[in-house]
Amino acid sequence: MLQVFDIIGPVMIGPSSSHTAGAVRIGKYARSILGTVPVKAHICFSGSFAKTYKGHGTDKAVIAGILGMDTDDSRIRTSMDIAKQEGLEFVFEEKDIDGAHPNTAEITLTDADGNQALVQGASIGGGNIIINKINDTTVAINGKSDTLVIPHKDIPGMIADVTNILADKKVNVHGFSLCRDHKGGTAVMTIEIDGDINQDVTGAILENPNIFACTILKAI
């Protein structure tokens, strides 16, 4: 079912919801996944993003998102100047990402302690996005709902263990996907939920020794 947002697009700064609003959201999601303040950003644009990012302001939009700005923030126009003032180093690269959506950005962020996060996302129109890669893991996250990202051993019973905890904690699930690198290796659940989720839930999930991490990604 289409929602009003899907029809009229987001409230935003810039000429194109795909090239600006979507790009802001991808950048902001990358910052959320890093979880700390980035000091370096390496941004690769693919497809039409690579061809038009300067003219459409996609570069400014992505930097704005990395700085934590929303799509309607008037500072988007000067985001690169603000980034320099705040000590964020950034570089842009044009890259042919095989099989990627035409409006794709691959962002690698680094914080002051050297921690890194790589996020690949596509702007699919109307300000909507799909995050399809986090570090080395394929995912499918639209950023509209709070999402749990849970890497774990690829063994029987893991889905049931996690969903039973969510049911016990009265957490309602409305979206679920599972990806793995190979049978018996590492798998990643991405679980979209209604409402907020607290640390008690993640603590209970992390009690399972076969779960490597449990990250809450807030809706953007």
Side-chain angles (χ1 to χ4, degrees), residues 17-33 43-45 49 58 61-66 69 71 101 103-107 109 119-124 127-133 141-142 220:
S17 59
S18 292
H19 288 256
T20 52
V24 170
R25 296 185 71 215
I26 295 170
K28 192 170 182 180
Y29 219 89
R31 181 187 177 102
S32 174
I33 292 167
I43 301 116
C44 297
F45 289 128
F49 266 8
T58 310
V62 166
I63 293 297
I66 292 170
M69 298 180 193
T71 59
H101 185 280
N103 295 334
T104 291
E106 181 184 87
I107 303 170
L109 298 182
V119 176
Q120 181 179 306
S123 179
I124 59 175
N128 296 301
I129 64 170
I130 292 291
I131 301 299
N132 41 43
K133 186 177 181 182
I141 302 172
N142 62 26
I220 57 173

Side-chain angles (χ1 to χ4, degrees), residues 2-11 21 25 71 125-128 144:
L2 286 175
Q3 299 180 14
V4 172
F5 180 87
D6 300 316
I7 298 169
I8 66 173
V11 177
R25 296 185 71 215
T71 59
N128 296 301
K144 292 182 178 180

Side-chain angles (χ1 to χ4, degrees), residues 60-132:
K60 297 176 183 177
V62 166
I63 293 297
I66 292 170
L67 292 174
M69 298 180 193
D70 292 321
T71 59
D72 61 349
D73 196 314
S74 62
R75 297 174 298 165
I76 290 173
R77 298 185 180 93
T78 58
S79 63
M80 291 196 283
D81 291 332
I82 295 171
K84 292 173 183 177
Q85 293 168 9
E86 294 188 3
L88 174 66
E89 299 178 18
F90 55 88
V91 62
F92 299 102
E93 178 185 348
E94 297 175 18
K95 180 179 180 181
D96 184 14
I97 301 176
D98 188 40
H101 185 280
N103 295 334
T104 291
E106 181 184 87
I107 303 170
T108 302
L109 298 182
T110 306
D111 69 11
D113 294 323
N115 300 306
Q116 286 192 328
L118 182 148
V119 176
Q120 181 179 306
S123 179
I124 59 175
N128 296 301
I129 64 170
I130 292 291
I131 301 299
N132 41 43

Side-chain angles (χ1 to χ4, degrees), residues 32-43:
S32 174
I33 292 167
L34 180 65
T36 53
V37 177
V39 296
K40 293 182 181 179
H42 187 135
I43 301 116

Side-chain angles (χ1 to χ4, degrees), residues 100-177:
H101 185 280
N103 295 334
T104 291
E106 181 184 87
I107 303 170
T108 302
L109 298 182
T110 306
D111 69 11
D113 294 323
N115 300 306
Q116 286 192 328
L118 182 148
V119 176
Q120 181 179 306
S123 179
I124 59 175
N128 296 301
I129 64 170
I130 292 291
I131 301 299
N132 41 43
K133 186 177 181 182
I134 298 176
N135 297 326
D136 294 325
T137 302
T138 299
V139 297
I141 302 172
N142 62 26
K144 292 182 178 180
S145 305
D146 286 4
T147 302
L148 289 170
V149 179
I150 306 172
H152 59 90
K153 289 184 180 178
D154 182 34
I155 57 176
M158 296 303 298
I159 295 173
D161 286 350
V162 171
T163 54
N164 285 339
I165 290 170
L166 296 179
D168 182 63
K169 299 291 187 180
K170 309 300 182 186
V171 176
N172 192 50
V173 174
H174 71 84
F176 179 94
S177 66

